[in-house]
Amino acid sequence: MTQTDNPVFNGYEREFTSKAKLIRRKISQLQGLQGERRREEIVDIERQFDEARRYLERMDEVARDSSSRGVMESVTIERQAELTALRRSFSNHKERSAFGGEFDDGDDDEDFQAAVLTQRARVLDNHQRLNQQTDLVQEAHAVILGTEQRGLGVVDEMAEQGESLLRSRDRVADINDDVDTSRTVLMKMAVQAFKNKILLCAVIVLLGGAIAAEVYFKFFH
């Protein structure tokens, strides 16, 4: 029995191991039973299987919440393979007993060990595949998160560019207002300059007329 650093898990494993030994002994005794006694023993073995399965479930629950999850999961898988092999051996014994078959304890023990090893290899393979699928899911989740973060970055950048465009538009509007104001001022200045030019011309004409009148009166009268 494998010892871990979790006493609760170790307790459940001891109970399971005890149940497994009891089940195996009861299975080997089926060959000498007949009638009602045999049926009662089969019912009791089924009950022992249920109790062993419950211990396995508790071991799995403890393993999922423990820091030593890897070691505990490995032990749970081995015990699951052992229980499955016991179930297969029980089924074979019931069929062979029903047809009055002969039993050889040595061969039966070898068959049981082979079944345990086969079932353990199958469960470990399935567990490894499950872990690989979990890794793939985690990698896909990481890719999705990375894509989401890049998308959020692009959205933020686009939002900043939008704000920059809005500010540029506001500045262009202010420039247009300044240009309109300047155009108005220039037009007013042009009108004022035109008026000043007309007034200057009028003054020159008046001065010219006054000079001409003074010269006329001075030299011709």
Side-chain angles (χ1 to χ4, degrees), residues 48-158:
Q48 298 299 331
F49 269 117
D50 290 339
E51 293 180 3
R53 178 180 51 80
R54 283 194 290 272
Y55 285 126
L56 273 179
E57 292 174 351
R58 293 169 185 169
M59 290 169 61
D60 185 62
E61 290 175 357
V62 174
R64 285 200 300 268
D65 298 332
S66 174
S67 59
S68 304
R69 179 175 179 179
V71 176
M72 293 183 184
E73 283 185 344
S74 178
V75 173
T76 305
I77 289 172
E78 291 182 5
R79 298 297 173 256
Q80 178 63 56
E82 182 179 354
L83 185 64
T84 302
L86 279 172
R87 170 67 69 176
R88 184 177 302 171
S89 176
F90 177 51
S91 298
N92 291 337
H93 272 75
K94 286 195 299 182
E95 293 176 359
R96 291 160 65 182
S97 296
F99 289 99
E102 296 286 335
F103 285 91
D104 187 331
D105 290 339
D107 292 341
D108 184 66
D109 188 61
E110 292 179 359
D111 291 343
F112 174 76
Q113 295 297 330
V116 169
L117 293 175
T118 301
Q119 187 62 27
R120 178 185 177 187
R122 184 178 297 121
V123 173
L124 288 174
D125 182 63
N126 291 336
H127 185 67
Q128 183 178 5
R129 292 181 182 179
L130 179 61
N131 288 335
Q132 291 174 350
Q133 294 296 327
T134 302
D135 292 339
L136 290 175
V137 171
Q138 292 177 347
E139 291 177 0
H141 184 63
V143 171
I144 291 174
L145 289 179
T147 303
E148 182 181 1
Q149 292 176 353
R150 288 193 294 272
L152 291 175
V154 172
V155 171
D156 292 339
E157 184 178 355
M158 292 179 66

Side-chain angles (χ1 to χ4, degrees), residues 3 14 23 39 52 66 93 95 105-106 114 116 124 133 164 168 178 181 183 197 201 206-207 213:
Q3 290 293 324
R14 283 194 298 270
I23 291 171
R39 285 191 292 271
S66 174
H93 272 75
E95 293 176 359
D105 290 339
V116 169
L124 288 174
Q133 294 296 327
S164 178
S168 299
D178 293 339
T181 302
R183 185 182 296 113
K197 189 174 183 180
C201 291
L206 290 174
L207 288 175

Side-chain angles (χ1 to χ4, degrees), residues 7-24:
V8 176
F9 183 88
N10 294 337
Y12 288 146
E13 186 188 9
R14 283 194 298 270
E15 293 295 336
F16 173 84
T17 302
S18 177
K19 286 292 179 184
K21 290 180 179 179
L22 177 62
I23 291 171
R24 188 178 180 188

